Each structure stands twice: as C-alpha cells, then as structure tokens.
Amino acid sequence: MLADDPLGAGRERPGDPGYVAAFEEVERDPRQVLAVAVLDGEVVGTLQLTCTPGLSRVGMVRGTIEAVRVRGDLRGRRIGEALVGWALEEARRRGCGVVQLTTDASRVDAHRFYERLGFSASHVGMKLAL
Amino acid sequence: MLADDPLGAGRERPGDPGYVAAFEEVERDPRQVLAVAVLDGEVVGTLQLTCTPGLSRVGMVRGTIEAVRVRGDLRGRRIGEALVGWALEEARRRGCGVVQLTTDASRVDAHRFYERLGFSASHVGMKLAL
C-alpha cells in the first residue's frame, strides 16, 4: 500500500529486507503504534501513530500520525475515516493533548479528508532530505 | 523561553511541576534529544529532536524538530541557525533520512528562517486538539 500511491511509487521497494528491520524497530518502541485496518480477514489500511513527550504546553504529549494508506480499490468506503478515528481515540487514551500530521501540499483530497475529521490546516510542514 | 513567545504566552505555566515530569520522560527515551544552546554560560536557546522509525521509504528514520526557541533579546545573532544546524548533524548521525517540522502558518519569519537552512515548505501541517 505504501508503494501503490502516486508519491510512494518512486520511493518504495516492496520485498526489501529494510522493511523487516524497520518493523522490528517500531515494534520494540512502546511509543509507536503501527495499526492496520482489517476487512473480511484482509489488511486494507495502515497508519503509524507516535506519542512524543515534550516540554511545551506544560509537558504535553504530542501524537503524530504518519504513513496513512488505504488499499486503492477500497477508497470511498470510509476505511481511512475509521482508521484515523481509531488513532485519535488511541492517542487520547495515551494522554496526547494534540494530534498532528503533515500531508504533501499536492494531496488536496487528503486535506479535505482530515478537515472533515476535525483537523485544522494551521501549520506549514517543512521537510529537508538528509 | 517557551512562554516568552506570542503563541506560547497563553499556553505555558512557568514553574508548573508538569515540566519536570515531562523532562524526565524525555530524558528516559533514547529517541529524544533535548538540546540547549549555551552562550557565556547561559542557556540562550533550545529545541527537541525526535528520531522515529517507520516503514515508509524502505524503513527510513524520520527526524522531527519541535519547540525551537531562542531567547528574545538575542535574536538576529544566528543562535537559532547554529542550534538547528547542530540538530541536522545529530539527525544525520542517528541515521535519519529526512528532518521535518511544522511551524504555525502565522510565523512568517520562521518559514524564511527554515528555508534559508534548506527546508522546503512542501507540506501542510494539520493539527487537532484532543
């Protein structure tokens, strides 16, 4: 699902052992939640939630959502909505005071999707490749 | 420094024991780096770097910079530049493939500052308070 995406296609290599090593790293870290949506026994969506402690706002924990994907042939069935809604509940349960994410400026549908879920496009997301 | 800021003023409570608890949480987590800039023996700036493992981009580690502050009376002396430059080096040393941050859309000076350091405003930063 990460590769089946206009932006992901050029930067993923399905089958690469790097994914297994990364999965183990994520699993070992209690601040990471890698969730999948399952429909009729099949994985149809995924996302990663990270809960980060910090000093700002009197020591508020921040939830960050990354890598939200829904299987391409199942779009429009509110799977993403259920998945992100679940992540918001999980973030609340883990004591996060805010949940944040960045989406590529070209993903206009994604902005509308997150605004429907209550997110506000209040920030500029800046990236620097190392 | 977190409170001495147009946006921070309303949401920080200097002296609150919540900061001490949060500091201990950050210190215990090997993926967090809380850095300070020191000038003539005084703390004049701070930031937090978080290195997050993930599956996307063949298991790339992402660096996230949060809570960048420089003491108000020392602006314009390139302390922020030195501090963020240090964080980029530290992120590289820890194997991050990208460094990301969000800045409030109203912080126009901050956008220019990060663009000078090589960041690109390619994303929309979305937030939801829980």
Side-chain angles (χ1 to χ4, degrees):
Chain A
M1 275 179 287
L2 294 172
D4 177 21
D5 174 270
L7 296 175
R11 56 196 194 200
E12 302 295 346
R13 294 196 299 271
D16 191 293
Y19 294 106
V20 178
F23 180 79
E24 287 166 0
E25 279 292 297
V26 171
E27 280 294 286
R28 265 199 295 273
D29 184 344
R31 298 195 198 279
Q32 313 292 337
V33 185
L34 194 59
V36 291
V38 176
L39 185 69
D40 300 334
E42 279 188 72
V43 171
V44 296
T46 184
L47 63 71
Q48 184 177 352
L49 168 68
T50 303
C51 297
T52 309
L55 297 184
S56 310
R57 303 195 189 197
V58 201
M60 186 187 67
V61 178
R62 282 169 192 277
T64 303
I65 293 177
E66 293 275 357
V68 179
R69 297 290 186 278
V70 169
R71 220 175 73 187
D73 59 328
L74 295 172
R75 300 257 162 84
R77 290 178 61 175
R78 306 207 152 193
I79 294 167
E81 203 172 309
L83 194 56
V84 175
W86 177 88
L88 295 178
E89 272 313 304
E90 180 65 17
R92 197 175 278 123
R93 202 181 66 75
R94 288 170 171 249
C96 297
V98 71
V99 171
Q100 60 190 19
L101 57 86
T102 63
T103 67
D104 194 281
S106 70
R107 296 196 200 261
V108 178
D109 287 357
H111 308 161
R112 277 197 294 260
F113 167 76
Y114 289 115
E115 277 168 348
R116 267 203 320 271
L117 291 173
F119 283 85
S120 157
S122 54
H123 285 61
V124 176
M126 310 195 78
K127 309 262 173 172
L128 189 161
L130 292 181
Chain B
M1 274 180 284
L2 294 172
D4 177 21
D5 174 90
L7 295 175
R11 57 195 193 198
E12 302 295 346
R13 293 196 300 271
D16 192 294
Y19 294 106
V20 178
F23 180 79
E24 287 167 0
E25 279 292 296
V26 171
E27 280 294 286
R28 265 198 296 272
D29 184 344
R31 298 196 197 281
Q32 313 292 336
V33 186
L34 195 58
V36 292
V38 176
L39 186 70
D40 299 334
E42 278 188 72
V43 171
V44 296
T46 184
L47 63 72
Q48 184 177 352
L49 168 69
T50 303
C51 297
T52 308
L55 297 184
S56 310
R57 305 194 187 197
V58 202
M60 185 186 70
V61 178
R62 281 168 191 278
T64 304
I65 292 177
E66 294 274 359
V68 180
R69 297 289 186 281
V70 169
R71 219 175 73 188
D73 59 329
L74 296 172
R75 299 257 161 82
R77 291 178 61 175
R78 307 207 150 191
I79 294 167
E81 203 171 309
L83 194 56
V84 175
W86 177 88
L88 295 178
E89 272 313 303
E90 180 65 15
R92 197 174 278 123
R93 201 181 66 76
R94 289 170 172 248
C96 297
V98 70
V99 170
Q100 59 189 21
L101 56 88
T102 64
T103 67
D104 194 281
S106 70
R107 297 196 200 260
V108 178
D109 287 356
H111 308 162
R112 277 197 293 259
F113 167 76
Y114 290 115
E115 277 167 349
R116 265 202 321 271
L117 292 174
F119 283 85
S120 155
S122 55
H123 284 61
V124 176
M126 310 196 76
K127 309 262 172 171
L128 190 161
L130 294 180

